[in-house]
Amino acid sequence: MRPNRILLSSALVVVALVIQVSVLSRLHLPGAVPDLLLLTVLGLAMVYGHVGGALVGFGAGLLADIAPPADHAAGRYALVLCVIGYLAGLIKPETGQVKSATGPMAVVVAAAIGSTLLYAGVGALVGDTAARHVGLGGLLQTAAVYDLLLAPFVVPGIMWLARRAENDPLADSGSAAKKTDISSGWLSSGTGLSIGGRRGALGSLKAKARTRTTRVGRIKGVKRL
């Protein structure tokens, strides 16, 4: 990933995790907890694509796995967010901009349900049966509702910041300078001909043409005589 992507993603993930742990998890809402970290990964994945989304999801999930008061095996949530970030990045638009809110809202609902199911499935494999006691159906419904209500305040802002970082003027000027260097290098060394050499070659060709014209004129004059 690019340095600007790494810095922005790291800052947003840390802020989202702090708010998640210190505020959202203490609201004591029925069922699931609004997943601000998941929404952050979704917003970045829909701008960076599937590879960037998978990397951001893995890093965010791993940070959530080791941050207190985590009570599950390390790597469990990293796997979940890595898969979700990869799948969300597959629907990235060509321009990085979303014309309608219907698509992102559908992605949020699908990600909330999918992440809950995947998290419960991985927990079942490692012997964690907490989801059975709480009720998986209630968790799915409340996770979808909470994330859908929170998404309009989070996902558009995350995507706007990500697009703004992608349009960095310093990066544009650097790429323009690189293109200039490449073009100048192509003219000077890539073709094996310099501009002065081309002018000299054209001059010699013109001189040869004039000499041939003079010779033809002389020959025609002799024949007329």
Side-chain angles (χ1 to χ4, degrees), residues 25-44:
S25 62
R26 298 184 180 182
L27 294 178
H28 301 291
L29 297 174
V33 176
D35 199 339
L36 183 60
L37 198 61
L38 173 66
L39 298 178
T40 302
V41 172
L42 290 178
L44 293 174

Side-chain angles (χ1 to χ4, degrees), residues 1-16 40 43-44 47-48 56 157-167:
M1 292 180 64
R2 301 173 185 175
N4 58 339
R5 290 187 176 185
I6 295 175
L7 293 176
L8 179 63
S9 302
S10 302
L12 292 176
V13 166
V14 171
V15 172
T40 302
L44 293 174
V47 176
Y48 294 160
V56 172
I158 296 294
M159 297 181 67
W160 181 81
L161 289 174
R163 290 196 301 266
R164 187 70 178 270
E166 288 295 291
N167 298 328

